[in-house]
Amino acid sequence: MIHHEIRFTPNLEWLRTFVAFAETMSFTRAAEELHLSQPAVHVQVKKLADQLGVELYRRRGKVLELTDEGVRAVAFGRELLERSDRFLDELRAIPHAQPTVVAAGEGALLYVIGDAMSRALRAELRIQLRVLDTAGVIQALQRGEAHAGVTVLEEPPSDLEGCALVESGSLLVVPRAHPLARRRTLRLSDLDGLPLIAPPRGARQRELLDSFTRAAGVRANIVVEARGWPLTLRLVELGVGAAVVNDVVRIPQSLASVRLRGLPPQIYWALRRANAAPTADAASLWSLLSSTRGGR
């Protein structure tokens, strides 16, 4: 006789309560959203943790944060609840209103996947865009808050599936009258002392610029910190300084761009949760994003 291991199904209502709690990491706000008492929310989250046999969150001082297991549980919960809601809507012949969420950086949206997003909208896919930095994109995917994401990475984390879309080099952007505008290529040494507009500290582009100029013995003269390529390019137009940008960026005719050697290529990846069961809309979106591969 073959004995099958008896497996349980996580309680759907406990999962729904945990997802609501994980949105804000607040039992009070989750209780308000679910129209439950705060003790009831706390009990349901504890019951789910006991059922799963893992710790779902921890306290660090006054702050609550999800454990790694909690992140996986909330992503699974969102996926299961979404599929359940979609099934009930289809069963009752009710149009399903939940959109497919795409998390991406400003540069990726403007210069890499704009055409894919236009095709998705023409195909009548309901798309919700979230503009986030790289850390935000990864977190949104890992927590199940986004169905797909696009950002610059060296390699995707092990829990995310990735498709490399575009490999981007670096350009130095200057006003057309600038002496460096006449050069065909530049090296990092040409940046020594040059007034530069750069992203704030912590941004990937800034970390690379700081790291590689320091290694080359180049003094990076950052005169302004600015977020986003459009603002950066406008500041170059105003004569504030030069800027290092990815070569996917469309440069205004008022400016000149020169190929900059010495920085590593930037790879834009399309990402989604590994082993997730995508909805039909999410699968269609992934196909459109993947078709961007090698193009701009």
Side-chain angles (χ1 to χ4, degrees):
M1 179 182 294
I2 299 176
H3 295 279
H4 296 282
E5 181 183 356
I6 299 176
R7 292 178 178 269
F8 65 86
T9 301
N11 184 288
L12 196 61
E13 288 310 307
W14 298 348
L15 273 172
R16 191 181 298 276
T17 298
F18 177 59
V19 168
F21 161 71
E23 291 282 351
T24 60
M25 298 305 296
S26 167
F27 287 106
T28 301
R29 294 182 187 175
E32 292 172 352
E33 178 183 337
L34 298 171
H35 304 290
L36 297 172
S37 68
Q38 183 174 331
V41 172
H42 195 280
V43 166
Q44 289 189 22
V45 171
K46 185 179 186 307
K47 284 183 175 180
L48 179 65
D50 292 342
Q51 187 183 43
L52 297 176
V54 296
E55 185 182 12
L56 296 176
Y57 69 93
R58 65 171 65 92
R59 182 179 295 276
R60 290 189 182 276
K62 296 182 179 180
V63 178
L64 299 179
E65 64 179 19
L66 296 180
T67 61
D68 290 343
E69 293 79 9
V71 169
R72 294 174 62 186
V74 76
F76 170 77
R78 284 194 174 97
E79 180 182 333
L80 190 61
L81 291 169
E82 179 180 353
R83 295 178 70 83
S84 175
D85 292 345
R86 186 178 292 271
F87 167 73
L88 291 175
D89 287 346
E90 292 173 352
L91 195 64
R92 299 164 182 167
I94 300 172
H96 189 71
Q98 186 167 350
T100 300
V101 180
V102 182
E106 182 184 76
L109 286 170
L110 288 175
Y111 309 117
V112 178
I113 61 169
D115 183 60
M117 291 297 95
S118 294
R119 284 183 286 151
L121 294 173
R122 288 198 298 271
E124 298 185 349
L125 297 181
R126 288 180 54 84
I127 302 296
Q128 179 182 349
L129 297 175
R130 295 188 61 189
V131 182
L132 300 169
D133 60 14
T134 294
V137 169
I138 292 173
Q139 178 176 292
L141 290 168
Q142 290 174 332
R143 292 168 62 110
E145 297 169 355
H147 299 87
V150 179
T151 193
V152 173
L153 285 174
E154 291 184 14
E155 291 287 343
S158 59
D159 56 347
L160 299 181
E161 175 187 351
C163 174
L165 302 181
V166 174
E167 183 175 284
S168 172
S170 296
L171 301 172
L172 182 73
V173 182
V174 294
R176 286 193 171 276
H178 196 281
L180 293 178
R182 296 190 292 271
R183 300 274 294 275
R184 295 187 60 128
T185 61
L186 297 168
R187 299 187 178 278
L188 289 178
S189 57
D190 294 305
L191 303 183
D192 192 60
L194 183 69
L196 289 175
I197 303 155
R201 293 187 184 277
R204 176 178 171 79
Q205 185 82 9
R206 176 64 178 275
E207 290 178 350
L208 287 173
L209 184 63
D210 287 348
S211 174
F212 279 80
T213 53
R214 190 182 305 115
V218 172
R219 180 174 60 89
N221 179 19
I222 310 299
V223 293
V224 175
E225 294 183 339
R227 291 187 182 274
W229 299 131
L231 174 59
T232 297
L233 294 176
R234 180 57 181 152
L235 291 173
V236 176
E237 286 181 318
L238 293 173
V240 175
V244 178
V245 305
N246 292 346
D247 66 11
V248 298
V249 176
R250 288 189 287 274
I251 309 301
Q253 292 185 352
S254 59
L255 300 177
S257 61
V258 186
R259 180 69 56 183
L260 178 63
R261 309 294 183 188
L263 291 174
Q266 303 293 287
I267 302 175
Y268 287 84
W269 291 84
L271 304 166
R272 63 179 176 180
R273 266 198 323 123
N275 303 318
T279 64
D281 285 355
S284 297
L285 174 66
W286 181 258
S287 178
L288 290 171
L289 289 175
S290 301
S291 69
T292 306
R293 189 171 184 172
R296 297 185 185 171

